[in-house]
Amino acid sequence: MMNNPIIQFKDVFFSYEKLFVLENVSFEISRGEFIGIVGPNGGGKTTALKLMMGFIKQDKGEISLLGHSPQLMRTKIGYVPQVNSFDKQFPISALDVVLTGCTSQMSPLGFVPKEVREKALESLSQVGLIDYKNHMFGSLSGGQAQKTLIARALVSDPELLLLDEPTANVDPYSEKSIIELLGNIKSKKTILIVTHDFETIVNNVDRVLCFQRSVTSLRK
């Protein structure tokens, strides 16, 4: 057992309409780990992320995030969805996308404090997109758009970064760039990345969790 794990699943069961997606799942993740999550479609990968974020609740078992229920710790999580889940036709700049990760720090009328805007610019700089801050999100390449969503997740300085297929539908160069970016920040964040590309991820993560209703932990 790990000392003070940032995430803990203990004997967790979860079902959709009485069909179990996760069965008797137990694992722990230490602060600062870079974890790859793999498995077949329907194996429970995305369900596990939703449970960690407190969007759904397990049928049985215990889940803790930083020693508390996930529902109480959502502000400690940065979430990066697949880029195709965002409407790229909506007229919004890359900077404005990042600022949507700071809505709790804005005034009721939508005024953006100077320090919040500076944080957003720093996040874009961190992912190498500061020169694209005024570009329309819909005009960005797949890799640039995904990095913008990573900047959006990082702007709130989360302790835990969850990424759902961040390299899906991007070119090989962008895929390599995104993995390198995550490698550069892994010492500062705990990172979980869901992917179907086992070969690429296994060379970069500390550990792999294989989901297929149950979970198997594999170290490199």
Side-chain angles (χ1 to χ4, degrees):
M1 300 291 283
M2 302 175 182
N3 293 324
N4 300 317
I6 190 169
I7 298 171
Q8 185 176 43
F9 275 51
K10 185 176 180 180
D11 304 325
V12 171
F13 289 74
F14 181 84
S15 62
Y16 289 107
E17 297 181 354
K18 298 184 179 180
L19 177 65
F20 277 108
V21 179
L22 297 176
E23 279 191 271
N24 201 28
V25 168
S26 297
F27 63 86
E28 294 182 351
I29 295 171
S30 291
R31 191 183 302 272
E33 278 197 287
F34 187 8
I35 302 293
I37 296 179
V38 301
N41 289 335
K45 304 184 300 297
T46 298
T47 296
L49 295 191
K50 290 179 179 179
L51 287 166
M52 291 176 199
M53 291 185 286
F55 292 155
I56 55 179
K57 187 170 177 58
Q58 67 273 22
D59 298 333
K60 291 192 291 184
E62 300 176 9
I63 300 174
S64 66
L65 176 62
L66 292 166
H68 301 277
S69 71
Q71 289 83 359
L72 296 176
M73 305 301 289
R74 286 178 184 166
T75 59
K76 303 296 184 181
I77 299 174
Y79 174 61
V80 182
Q82 292 187 37
V83 70
N84 59 15
S85 68
F86 268 68
D87 183 2
K88 294 190 73 174
Q89 302 304 313
F90 190 75
I92 187 173
S93 71
L95 177 58
D96 287 336
V97 169
V98 177
L99 285 169
T100 64
C102 308
T103 52
S104 64
Q105 302 173 55
M106 297 181 189
S107 73
L109 297 177
F111 174 74
V112 181
K114 180 181 178 181
E115 61 272 18
V116 172
R117 181 180 176 84
E118 288 176 350
K119 281 184 181 179
L121 291 171
E122 287 173 8
S123 290
L124 278 173
S125 181
Q126 188 175 5
V127 301
L129 290 179
I130 191 63
D131 293 338
Y132 293 82
K133 64 180 183 294
N134 295 321
H135 287 226
M136 290 294 101
F137 185 66
S139 71
L140 301 177
S141 69
Q144 291 169 339
Q146 193 67 71
K147 285 183 178 180
T148 300
L149 297 181
I150 293 174
R152 174 179 175 267
L154 291 174
V155 72
S156 61
D157 194 24
E159 294 194 40
L160 175 64
L161 186 63
L162 305 178
L163 304 101
D164 193 1
E165 297 279 0
T167 59
N169 303 313
V170 301
D171 61 89
Y173 173 81
S174 294
E175 178 180 358
K176 181 181 178 182
S177 179
I178 289 170
I179 295 298
E180 287 178 350
L181 167 64
L182 296 175
N184 290 335
I185 65 175
K186 72 176 184 178
S187 62
K188 305 171 185 176
K189 308 289 180 187
T190 303
I191 303 174
L192 278 71
I193 174 173
V194 173
T195 181
H196 281 96
D197 191 348
F198 183 83
E199 184 176 352
T200 296
I201 203 63
V202 76
N203 294 321
N204 294 279
V205 300
D206 301 318
R207 189 159 53 105
V208 176
L209 295 179
C210 299
F211 278 71
Q212 193 166 8
R213 288 175 56 173
S214 61
V215 173
T216 303
S217 177
L218 303 175
R219 287 198 176 273
K220 295 195 299 180

